[in-house]
Amino acid sequence: MTGRIANPKIEKLIVDRWSPRAFDGSEMPQEDLDAIFEAAGWAPSAYNVQPWTFLYARKGDANWELLLDQLIDFNKGWAKEASAIVYVVSDKYMRSEKGNSENHSHSFDAGAAWVLAALQAQALGYHTHGMTGLKFGEAEAALGIPADHRLEAAFVIGKQGDKSSLPEFLQEREVVSSRKPIAEIAKAGKFA
Ligand SMILES: Cc1cc2nc3c(=O)[nH]c(=O)nc-3n(C[C@H](O)[C@H](O)[C@H](O)COP(=O)(O)O)c2cc1C
């Protein structure tokens, strides 16, 4: 229960998803992570090309520090207490035997996959927190991401921790956010 007020017709899982920064520092089983990735993979995508790749490390894995190090310091400060870190990468091209063509919706589709991952994590009792506070430019090289792919964002997964574990300035920000009214985000017909 987050206290968010929303139309009761909306799925509870959607309204209850929010992004804390206080995580409890526990480890998470690979089976849970696999279920989260499988859920992400059920996202729809143009021509079903499934342009996403998830690069991940669980706390304690050999790659944990490498993946954490690609975050800006602000994010690393709290994200290190999460249980897993995931980088979302998309393939910019649709590939076939006839040749490659640009995929207009590679980022859009990867975004859909991340949201399903976030909701599946929520359903399993975890929280996620998306981040674009990354060392873009350096991170692609450190993670071996080729130029025909795009590093979209990262997210962490973990069990919510006590906000007293955060520095004071972040404790104040450990609250659920609201949303724009529908009239501002949906227009019947043309944009303008
Ligand atoms: C693509 C993306 C990038 C984000 N980058 C950061 C970030 O670098 N650092 C951070 O603390 N939060 C980051 N956030 C979290 C957002 O601020 C948060 O999702 C937003 O305020 C809505 O709050 P909610 O997720 O709790 O509903 C990011 C979220 C998304 C989806």
Side-chain angles (χ1 to χ4, degrees):
M1 278 297 285
T2 58
R4 278 175 168 166
I5 295 163
N7 185 327
K9 288 186 174 177
I10 301 172
E11 284 291 332
K12 190 171 152 20
L13 196 64
I14 295 172
V15 182
D16 283 353
R17 186 217 54 81
W18 73 286
S19 310
R21 293 192 182 86
F23 290 96
D24 73 358
S26 59
E27 294 186 2
M28 73 182 289
Q30 183 69 40
E31 305 92 86
D32 286 357
L33 202 49
D34 288 345
I36 290 165
F37 291 137
E38 185 177 337
W42 283 109
S45 60
Y47 292 96
N48 198 23
V49 296
Q50 304 162 58
W52 44 76
T53 301
F54 302 102
L55 308 176
Y56 71 92
R58 287 187 300 148
K59 186 180 238 72
D61 282 356
N63 290 317
W64 175 250
E65 290 299 331
L66 172 72
L67 268 63
L68 262 189
D69 279 348
Q70 308 315 314
L71 302 177
I72 59 167
D73 287 344
F74 167 75
N75 284 331
K76 191 176 172 183
W78 54 265
K80 63 181 182 352
E81 298 306 328
S83 309
I85 179 167
V86 183
Y87 286 79
V88 183
V89 178
S90 70
D91 187 344
K92 297 179 193 172
Y93 293 92
M94 292 197 179
R95 299 170 192 276
S96 78
E97 283 162 13
K98 291 182 197 150
N100 300 338
S101 56
E102 282 183 22
N103 181 356
H104 175 80
S105 61
H106 63 96
S107 292
F108 182 83
D109 295 345
W114 125 255
V115 171
L116 292 191
L119 292 176
Q120 181 61 48
Q122 180 83 11
L124 294 175
Y126 296 97
H127 280 76
T128 53
H129 197 130
M131 293 167 288
T132 42
L134 315 181
K135 295 178 188 164
F136 285 110
E138 289 174 37
E140 290 86 344
L143 299 172
I145 298 168
D148 55 2
H149 284 61
R150 182 171 193 264
L151 173 56
E152 302 285 355
F155 65 97
V156 288
I157 309 169
K159 292 267 162 79
Q160 195 181 347
D162 195 318
K163 75 172 180 181
S164 63
S165 63
L166 293 170
E168 233 165 72
F169 79 103
L170 284 182
Q171 288 184 29
E172 288 161 21
R173 292 168 62 178
E174 197 71 343
V175 286
V176 293
S177 53
S178 59
R179 288 299 186 268
K180 293 176 182 175
I182 306 163
E184 247 184 74
I185 63 167
K187 295 168 192 271
K190 287 168 67 169
F191 194 96

